[in-house]
Amino acid sequence: MKSIEPVTAWKNGEQLEANLLNAYIINDNLATSCSFYYSLNTSGDGTEAMPLVLGQVVAEGNLTMSGDDYIAWDNSNEQAYQYIAEKLNLTLI
């Protein structure tokens, strides 16, 4: 989980502010591609202090890394979060 610059989105008729990016691998064929599930979440405790606590899901989806991006990936969590944030136009803090 990573802190992000806050983004707002409408969910169920309510405007929510997400400040956390959560992600995990749902499939990796270890050769050409890897799929991630991601969610943008509110902070569950209303603070920025560690440990971060996931609150309500504001948005969620799946992303696939393939081609040159997959080949260049060093299998680190940090690079995976950077890739996801770039694709979603988010800024990691």
Side-chain angles (χ1 to χ4, degrees):
M1 176 178 8
K2 293 286 186 180
S3 293
I4 58 171
E5 288 288 328
V7 295
T8 56
W10 286 95
K11 182 172 182 182
N12 298 328
E14 181 180 7
Q15 188 172 5
L16 300 173
E17 183 175 86
N19 57 359
L20 297 174
L21 170 62
N22 189 37
Y24 54 87
I25 293 173
I26 54 176
N27 184 37
D28 186 350
N29 70 9
L30 303 177
T32 60
S33 68
C34 179
S35 296
F36 300 94
Y37 164 81
Y38 69 86
S39 64
L40 304 179
N41 299 74
T42 61
S43 180
D45 61 1
T47 68
E48 297 298 323
M50 293 297 280
L52 299 174
V53 177
L54 281 177
Q56 187 173 2
V57 173
V58 175
E60 63 186 332
N62 298 317
L63 275 172
T64 299
M65 177 191 294
S66 61
D68 290 340
D69 292 324
Y70 184 82
I71 292 167
W73 181 33
D74 64 5
N75 291 320
S76 71
N77 288 345
E78 189 64 35
Q79 196 174 1
Y81 275 108
Q82 289 172 354
Y83 176 82
I84 294 165
E86 179 183 308
K87 293 301 178 188
L88 297 175
N89 199 26
L90 301 171
T91 302
L92 297 175
I93 299 176

